[in-house]
Amino acid sequence: MKLIKFYLTLILCCLLSVNSYAEENPDLNPASAGGATFTPNVRSDVDKFLKSKNMKRGRNVKKNGTPYFVFVGDGEISANRDNKMIHDARSAAFNEAFLAAKTNYVKSLGLEITRELSSKTYEDLMPDTMAEDAIKTAVGTDTSSFDKLKKLISVKLDSALKEEGYNPEMADADKEAIKKKVLRSREITNLFTATAQSMISGFQTYKIFEKSNAGERGEISVVTLWSPKLNQLAQAIKGGSTNVPKGTAQKPIEEQLKLDDPNSLLASFGTKMYVNENGNLVLVSYGQASPSIENDPGALSTACDIAESRAYENMVSYAREQVMYEEMRKEIDKAETFTKDGMKAYESTNAREVNNLINSKSSMRLKGQSLIGSYPITSPNYKSTSCVAVTQWSAEGVEAANQSKNEMNSTSSSSSSSSNQGELSTTTDETPSDDF
């Protein structure tokens, strides 16, 4: 019994000793020297939001068994806040982020991948004169073969030296300094290509995160959402149909939107789905643009027109979009041991080339859309005004357009015309309707 207690005590002491040594030795416990830390960025906010909504990237399932998809994309704002075209830059960053999110969905459907990996090593420890000595031994110096082989060696040597910047007219000292003989080299090359493409529809903006510091370029992250119901709404928009999916009836769209909140409008991009008072799904779309000249009424009017067009662009992309993705990445890891100018040296090279291409195309006839309003907004955070256009598409809008066309055609013989365009208001909120 005493022997067992002795061994237990000995083992415990050893464990305590090892633990103490690990805490005091930064090689075994890097945390004692500071350790690694996470770098905060806009994606950190995205992750917190998804967790709060019990969502995850990719496929999700609602409590009623309905599947839906969540994907995230990032975009870089190319200008800082002081730039007069900052809101155009923000719009471009949103487009980049939204397209990246939809591309992640397309990639999840199927990705064609090719990878080529090569490893190459080379060693040359032979003296420079050994090749010539070997020729002398084999053929002798009095034969024509010796002169031919020696000339061949000289040509190859000159070619190699020219690649290093050797010029026959340089001074002898400069020539010697350039000469470089590789003793050993190792090079690993990795070539990766990937492609994916698909026709998509029904992706809406669910949440936008934007961060920027004064004097610096910012970034935008977009959380996108797709569901069968959203896709049915997209098909209705594509066909100009009044047969839209139903949801739980809400207040009129205008009463749901925060049209009197400039901060909310300034943070709004893309498309969002809401349910109106008739229980019909309605698509709300936002566009923004900066005036080319500040405090110029004409320039501001043009900016509002551009913003409205951008809002309609988003509707068309929501309804029908072809997305094509290509990626090429080449990586090289190279190490060389060489002699140069009489000195032995070592150098390593890590190189990377990345070429990503995402191309999308949308084309269709849009009917049933209307402008809710254009809102010029100034903010102390920016030195440029933004005109935010809010538009909507609804079944009621399609009905109004059809009615207007019929009335105009029926009265054309009497040179009279009438139009009855119903406008549905939209709402802007931090997130759209959860009745997706």
Side-chain angles (χ1 to χ4, degrees), residues 81-387:
R81 295 180 186 176
D82 297 338
N83 193 300
K84 69 177 181 179
M85 302 301 289
I86 177 59
H87 300 295
D88 285 61
R90 293 173 65 234
S91 294
F94 165 78
N95 288 337
E96 179 186 14
F98 198 20
L99 184 57
K102 290 184 284 189
T103 301
N104 288 332
Y105 168 73
V106 172
K107 290 161 65 176
S108 73
L109 300 179
L111 192 61
E112 294 290 335
I113 294 178
T114 302
R115 184 195 186 195
E116 297 180 22
L117 184 65
S118 64
S119 177
K120 181 173 64 175
T121 59
Y122 169 79
E123 287 190 0
D124 181 11
L125 301 179
M126 297 179 64
D128 293 335
T129 60
M130 185 167 289
E132 187 173 329
D133 292 342
I135 297 173
K136 289 179 181 178
T137 303
V139 301
T141 59
D142 297 331
T143 66
S144 60
S145 297
F146 172 77
D147 292 331
K148 291 179 180 179
L149 292 172
K150 184 177 179 181
K151 185 176 181 180
L152 180 61
I153 292 175
S154 177
V155 170
K156 289 188 175 183
L157 180 60
D158 289 344
S159 177
L161 289 175
K162 286 178 181 178
E163 292 181 2
E164 297 292 331
Y166 180 89
N167 186 337
E169 299 179 359
M170 297 173 66
D172 291 341
D174 294 334
K175 292 178 182 178
E176 290 297 326
I178 288 175
K179 287 182 180 179
K180 172 183 175 182
K181 179 180 179 181
V182 177
L183 303 178
R184 187 181 191 281
S185 70
R186 187 273 290 156
E187 180 176 328
I188 298 176
T189 303
N190 182 38
L191 179 62
F192 169 87
T193 60
T195 59
Q197 64 177 343
S198 178
M199 185 72 73
I200 63 174
S201 58
F203 266 92
Q204 73 159 3
T205 305
Y206 192 67
K207 180 73 172 177
I208 299 175
F209 297 84
E210 180 177 357
K211 279 191 175 182
S212 63
N213 296 320
E216 298 179 1
R217 291 178 290 114
E219 57 182 334
I220 288 179
S221 273
V222 179
V223 178
T224 64
L225 192 147
W226 181 97
S227 72
K229 186 181 288 188
L230 291 171
N231 190 52
Q232 291 172 19
L233 175 61
Q235 299 308 313
I237 295 174
K238 175 186 170 184
S241 172
T242 58
N243 183 23
V244 298
K246 294 290 184 177
T248 304
Q250 305 291 330
K251 297 178 180 179
I253 296 298
E254 289 184 355
E255 295 182 23
Q256 297 183 53
L257 296 176
K258 295 183 178 179
L259 299 177
D260 58 350
D261 185 347
N263 291 309
S264 178
L265 288 173
L266 196 59
S268 298
F269 295 94
T271 55
K272 294 181 179 180
M273 181 277 292
Y274 294 92
V275 182
N276 65 12
E277 69 276 17
N278 299 321
N280 290 328
L281 266 59
V282 174
L283 188 68
V284 177
S285 185
Y286 303 88
Q288 294 194 37
S290 302
S292 58
I293 303 173
E294 196 68 16
N295 299 320
D296 184 298
L300 181 60
S301 178
T302 300
C304 291
D305 292 340
I306 294 173
E308 182 179 354
S309 296
R310 287 175 176 166
Y312 293 143
E313 286 176 24
N314 295 332
M315 287 183 175
V316 173
S317 296
Y318 174 90
R320 178 182 174 86
E321 185 174 23
Q322 175 75 30
V323 176
M324 184 272 292
Y325 164 80
E326 291 182 358
E327 177 183 357
M328 187 281 291
R329 185 180 74 251
K330 185 176 183 180
E331 300 165 314
I332 295 177
D333 185 292
K334 185 175 182 179
E336 284 187 342
T337 301
F338 60 93
T339 57
K340 187 173 182 179
D341 197 18
M343 301 291 292
K344 186 177 179 181
Y346 171 87
E347 68 178 5
S348 63
T349 302
N350 296 91
R352 181 175 66 190
E353 177 186 359
V354 178
N355 188 352
N356 286 351
L357 171 65
I358 303 175
N359 184 53
S360 74
K361 183 176 181 179
S362 303
S363 178
M364 55 165 280
R365 182 173 182 266
L366 184 63
K367 181 174 71 171
Q369 75 280 6
S370 61
L371 175 68
I372 294 175
S374 298
Y375 307 90
I377 297 173
T378 58
S379 168
N381 294 326
Y382 304 101
K383 291 187 177 180
S384 176
T385 300
S386 176
C387 185

Side-chain angles (χ1 to χ4, degrees), residues 400-418:
N402 291 336
Q403 184 177 354
S404 296
K405 184 176 180 179
N406 292 334
E407 291 174 348
M408 183 172 290
N409 290 337
S410 65
T411 58
S412 59
S413 58
S414 60
S415 301
S416 64
S417 64
S418 65

